[in-house]
Amino acid sequence: MSDSEPPRWTLRSFAFPALLLGGVSVGCAPILVRLSEAGPAATAFWRVALALAPLALIAAYAAGRTSASATPKTIVEWLTVSAPGAFLGFELVVWHISLHMTSVANATLLVNLTPIFAALFGWAIFGRPVGRVFAAGVAISVAGVALLTAGRSAAGGGRLSGDAIALSAAAIYAGYFLALGYARRRFSTASVMFGSAALAAVVTLPLALTERAFAPDSVSGWAALIALAWIVQACGQGLVTFAIAWLSPTLSSLTMLIQPFVAGALAWALFGESLTAAQIAGGLVVVAGIMVARRG
């Protein structure tokens, strides 16, 4: 270890605070999407496009500190690290649409069902075994979703369709994680994050150009997009990526469930989105189901 490199224990001591701060940062994403003056697809485009600059700097810095084989060089290798971005781009567009059709709490909770979809896809595509604990978690989550989308939250305003779109975003995001896992077996996290964001920008641009509101009209509108790109996409996701290398999967999973609570609290304060008893109960049951499924 060189004199300039921090000792491993020092990095490890920052892992949990980094995970917590990253979770809170990512939890602000739906609020910034709501505040964006651009359309849902355009917001997704600017979210990843504006994040490319800081992600490129991170990738360049990491390239000098990782093995040469962990940095893509050929076109095929860059396609490998970029492939997850196709799923990421479509997921962001779909989820941003859901945020305009249902409550922030519902959309954020439902997209957190991604690990369940990822495990189901892994079972269906790769034959990975699914145990009884995971099946119990799925059953609990389904019951929570039923409560979450019942009553006033599902009545009028297109909220039920918005909930369904948020669920489809969770399924698309599961594809992103499967592709991400394949790319991360060989290449560095920084390279995969930059490559994925680049392809996500390419994927979302044609959809963004079809919307009437492609770019913000005010400084505050641009501020929301820059915060979404730099604070959430680059910084928040980067902190989470750093932290999970040092922490147990159980602790990481439980801590990241802070996202829907942060989003719900901010939506309540800023947009007056109060939660019904059914939503609160359903949200708690969904979180419990996710926790059980992840243990399985």
Side-chain angles (χ1 to χ4, degrees):
M1 180 182 299
S2 64
D3 294 336
S4 61
E5 183 180 351
R8 293 176 65 85
W9 67 267
T10 302
L11 292 176
R12 190 184 189 96
S13 65
F14 286 105
F16 184 74
L19 182 67
L20 193 61
L21 181 58
V24 172
S25 299
V26 176
C28 295
I31 305 302
L32 294 171
V33 171
R34 282 280 192 89
L35 294 176
S36 172
E37 297 175 355
T43 299
F45 165 74
W46 291 113
R47 173 175 177 170
V48 290
L50 293 174
L52 288 177
L55 288 176
L57 293 176
I58 295 172
Y61 174 79
R65 291 175 168 258
T66 57
S67 62
S69 61
T71 302
K73 297 177 179 63
T74 67
I75 294 179
V76 173
E77 290 177 340
W78 273 111
L79 287 176
T80 301
V81 300
S82 302
F87 292 97
L88 177 63
F90 286 117
E91 185 273 336
L92 289 177
V93 172
V94 173
W95 188 54
H96 288 184
I97 291 173
S98 75
L99 284 166
H100 291 281
M101 297 179 63
T102 188
S103 68
V104 166
N106 278 29
T108 309
L109 274 167
L110 292 173
V111 83
N112 270 273
L113 290 169
T114 293
I116 292 179
F117 282 104
L120 291 175
F121 291 161
W123 167 72
I125 299 173
F126 304 114
R128 296 173 182 168
V130 173
R132 287 179 294 180
V133 175
F134 174 80
V138 172
I140 295 172
S141 296
V142 170
V145 170
L147 277 174
L148 190 67
T149 58
R152 187 167 64 87
S153 67
R159 287 197 170 191
L160 189 58
S161 59
D163 292 339
I165 292 173
L167 269 176
S168 65
I172 299 172
Y173 207 34
Y176 165 73
F177 275 109
L178 291 176
L180 189 70
Y182 178 81
R184 276 291 292 118
R185 291 174 189 171
R186 178 177 174 186
F187 301 106
S188 68
T189 299
S191 297
V192 175
M193 289 179 65
F194 173 76
S196 297
L199 184 57
V202 173
V203 167
T204 54
L205 179 57
L207 299 174
L209 291 174
T210 64
E211 295 179 332
R212 297 180 63 181
F214 174 70
D217 296 323
S218 67
V219 174
S220 61
W222 280 111
L225 289 180
I226 292 173
L228 189 61
W230 292 4
I231 297 177
V232 176
Q233 196 65 32
C235 182
Q237 296 287 1
L239 287 172
V240 171
T241 302
F242 159 77
I244 60 178
W246 302 93
L247 302 174
S248 69
T250 300
L251 179 60
S252 300
S253 299
L254 293 178
T255 305
M256 286 306 292
L257 288 175
I258 194 175
Q259 298 175 60
F261 295 101
V262 170
L266 290 174
W268 197 338
L270 297 176
F271 307 134
E273 290 189 0
S274 59
L275 302 176
T276 65
Q279 281 181 294
I280 294 173
L284 293 175
V285 174
V286 167
V287 169
I290 294 173
M291 291 167 57
V292 172
R294 283 178 168 173
R295 288 183 65 86

